[in-house]
Each structure stands twice: as C-alpha cells, then as structure tokens.
Amino acid sequence: MWVISGQNQSWVSEFILIGFSRDPVTNNILFFVFLLIYLSSVLGNGLIIMLVCLDTQLHTPMYFFLCTLSLLDMSYVTTTVPQMLVHLLAHSKTISFAGCGLQMYVFAALGITECTFFVVMAYDRYVAICYPLRYTVILSWGLCIRMAAGSWICGFLSSLLHTFFTMSLPYCGPNKVNHYFCEGPSVRSLACMDTHLIDMVDFVLSVFVVVIPISLIVASYIHIAMAILKIKSTQGRCKAFSTCASHLTVVTFFYAPAIYIYMRPNSSYSPERDKQISLFYNVFTALLNPVVYSLRNKDIKRAFLKVMGHVRVDW
C-alpha cells in the first residue's frame, strides 16, 4: 500500500476504488446489470462494425465514421467496465499506481478522441445536406482517413498532459478513490498538495477538447438548419433532419455530463453524484449509439437482414 522514500515520506503505491456500494447484495445486482449493459454495448457496436465491413453498399464516408465511432465506444467502455465488474464481486478493490495511471490515460485519450470525432461526424452531415451533389468529391477517402486519424492522434497526445500532471502530484495520504475507475478529478482530490494550478491546466485543456468542438458542431448545425429550411417539401425537411437526429442525440448524451464533470468549479465536487453522472458518457453512451443509429437507419437494417439471409442459406 505504501512506498517509503529516502526522506522517510510515505507515498501511495496503490489505490482502492470504492465503487458504488459496500453491500454485497447490492453489488451482486449491479454486477448483473452492468454485465448486461457491457455485453449489449460490445455486441451492438461490434455488429455495426461487422455490417459496415461486410456490406459494400455501406462503404461510404458516413458509415466509415459510424464504424470508427463504434470502435471508439467498444474501446471506451472496455477501459473501465470489466475492472468494475471484477471489483463488484471481489473482496479486494485495489489498483496499482501504474495501473491507475494507465487506465486514466487510455480513458481520457479515448474520451478526447470521441470529442473531436463528433466534430468530424458533424462536418460529414454538413457536407451531405449543404452540398449533396459534391458529397463524395469533398469527402474523399483520403480526407476521411486523415480526419479520423487526426482525431485519434489529438486524443492520445492531449491525454498525455492530463495524465502526466495528475499522476505527478504527491499522493501521501488517503488512497481511497470514491469512484469506480481512476478518473482524473477523483484521483486528484487525494493529492497532498494544492492542486489549483493543475486544475487550471485541466480546465484550459477541457476548453480545447470540449468547448471548441461543441462550438464547431453548433456552427455546423446552424448551417444545416438554414439549408433544411430552404427545402420546400415537408417530407424533404423531415428526411434531412432525420439524418442528423441520431448524431445530435448521441452528442447531447456525451457532452452534457462531460462538461459538468470537467468544467465545473471544484467547490461543487460531489463524489457520489460524479460517479452516477460519469456513467452517462462512459457506459450508457456506448449502449445508446448502436440503438440510436440502427433503429433509425434503414441501410443498417437492410444490411443486417442481408447478412442474416446469407447465414440461413449457408446453414
């Protein structure tokens, strides 16, 4: 639990993740609930990836981005939920200092990647509705791959700052993290020094990875709304809007809780409330994405029925 330094100072070598409850019965119920959510998220997002890869009619920029989002969601939820499931049943709820730092880095990297990637998806909708005849010309495969790769690079580089500043703080006191995974603000609250400067750095980083992407998304949808209003037929307007509704729903569920956690004053820090809110952008969004995109999408339904038809024939 402790590592002794040369000056006889004790430093934390591991953290204890308190989780949601100390009651075994409650933990058993939560285990089955979150196991079902996790499996549904992985299967749902995995199904979208499989359908996009197998069906050549889905080899378009929009479905390439949707496939990338599904891969992000699968990775995102896998960073935290499997360990949470183990801790719900295990007596020991410890995580090593290095393991905590690694989890924090990967979680933040994937989260920032998703933040920037939503801008890419908004741009895709902007081009599709405002410049439909030039859609495939503007969004060439080269540009699509560069934008997707840029989002991943931005996420994994930005996360280095967040994780480095948080894990380089001295942790010499309590080592119980009131959370179900190693999230930056929760871990940083245990540091045995004033974290005001680090909090400011984290806030500035949040502006770049949250506020700026949201501003770009809003700007895209303002132009989209103006283009939709110019469509004369009501049916045409509804069809154009429906192509954006799924993206707007997922963006809202992801950004709203993330803004609260990372951009609110430290005085409003509430561990119990933060654990519940973080479930929205960590767990529920990954479950929501395949439901929203598949139930509202005729192409995904058609591809699914096509694949199922081939399976029956082969059987």
Side-chain angles (χ1 to χ4, degrees):
M1 177 176 172
W2 308 101
V3 175
I4 308 300
S5 71
Q7 286 79 27
N8 256 354
Q9 175 65 58
S10 297
W11 301 99
V12 170
S13 64
E14 64 183 20
F15 292 103
I16 299 173
L17 299 173
I18 294 177
F20 292 100
S21 174
R22 291 183 174 87
D23 178 38
V25 176
T26 302
N27 283 339
N28 286 335
I29 296 173
L30 290 174
F31 172 83
F32 287 106
V33 170
F34 285 119
L35 178 63
L36 179 62
I37 292 175
Y38 176 68
L39 292 177
S40 301
S41 300
V42 172
L43 290 174
N45 285 290
L47 178 62
I48 289 179
I49 294 173
M50 182 189 72
L51 292 176
V52 173
C53 291
L54 292 179
D55 194 328
T56 55
Q57 293 185 26
L58 297 182
H59 291 178
T60 64
M62 184 180 79
Y63 291 108
F64 168 72
F65 294 142
L66 179 57
C67 182
T68 304
L69 179 65
S70 294
L71 178 61
L72 266 172
D73 284 332
M74 285 178 62
S75 305
Y76 200 47
V77 74
T78 301
T79 305
T80 58
V81 175
Q83 183 192 54
M84 177 181 67
L85 292 174
V86 172
H87 284 178
L88 284 171
L89 297 182
H91 177 72
S92 174
K93 304 179 187 298
T94 61
I95 182 172
S96 67
F97 189 89
C100 183
L102 179 62
Q103 185 184 57
M104 185 185 302
Y105 171 70
V106 175
F107 178 82
L110 294 171
I112 296 171
T113 300
E114 192 151 339
C115 281
T116 55
F117 194 70
F118 279 133
V119 179
V120 174
M121 297 184 73
Y123 178 68
D124 168 73
R125 293 298 83 210
Y126 164 74
V127 175
I129 292 175
C130 296
Y131 303 98
L133 299 179
R134 298 175 57 199
Y135 177 68
T136 55
V137 176
I138 296 174
L139 286 176
S140 64
W141 280 113
L143 179 60
C144 292
I145 293 171
R146 286 195 298 273
M147 289 194 297
S151 298
W152 286 86
I153 293 171
C154 176
F156 278 81
L157 289 180
S158 300
S159 181
L160 284 174
L161 287 174
H162 168 76
T163 307
F164 173 78
F165 283 121
T166 299
M167 299 308 291
S168 62
L169 291 169
Y171 295 94
C172 50
N175 69 332
K176 292 183 178 181
V177 180
N178 195 356
H179 213 307
Y180 63 92
F181 73 100
C182 287
E183 190 166 27
S186 299
V187 174
R188 200 159 54 238
S189 66
L190 300 178
C192 50
M193 66 168 284
D194 182 21
T195 62
H196 178 71
L197 181 61
I198 306 300
D199 291 333
M200 287 301 297
V201 171
D202 220 34
F203 179 81
V204 172
L205 180 63
S206 297
V207 170
F208 280 98
V209 302
V210 177
V211 176
I212 292 179
I214 287 180
S215 301
L216 293 173
I217 291 172
V218 170
S220 297
Y221 276 98
I222 288 174
H223 285 87
I224 289 172
M226 292 172 63
I228 291 176
L229 290 175
K230 293 179 181 178
I231 300 175
K232 294 181 180 180
S233 68
T234 304
Q235 184 179 1
R237 290 180 183 178
C238 293
K239 184 178 180 180
F241 179 76
S242 66
T243 63
C244 304
S246 300
H247 181 250
L248 283 173
T249 301
V250 172
V251 165
T252 302
F253 269 86
F254 183 85
Y255 273 110
I259 289 173
Y260 173 81
I261 294 293
Y262 288 97
M263 302 198 68
R264 49 80 195 279
N266 288 337
S267 57
S268 62
Y269 175 69
S270 173
E272 295 301 325
R273 186 169 61 240
D274 287 0
K275 283 188 289 188
Q276 298 167 6
I277 292 176
S278 66
L279 286 171
F280 281 92
Y281 60 83
N282 178 209
V283 179
F284 296 142
T285 302
L287 176 65
L288 178 69
N289 285 358
V291 174
V292 169
Y293 283 108
S294 60
L295 290 180
R296 298 179 61 89
N297 193 301
K298 294 180 179 179
D299 292 333
I300 293 291
K301 293 178 182 178
R302 178 196 54 75
F304 176 73
L305 293 175
K306 182 179 178 181
V307 170
M308 292 304 295
H310 282 302
V311 170
R312 291 195 189 98
V313 171
D314 292 341
W315 180 262

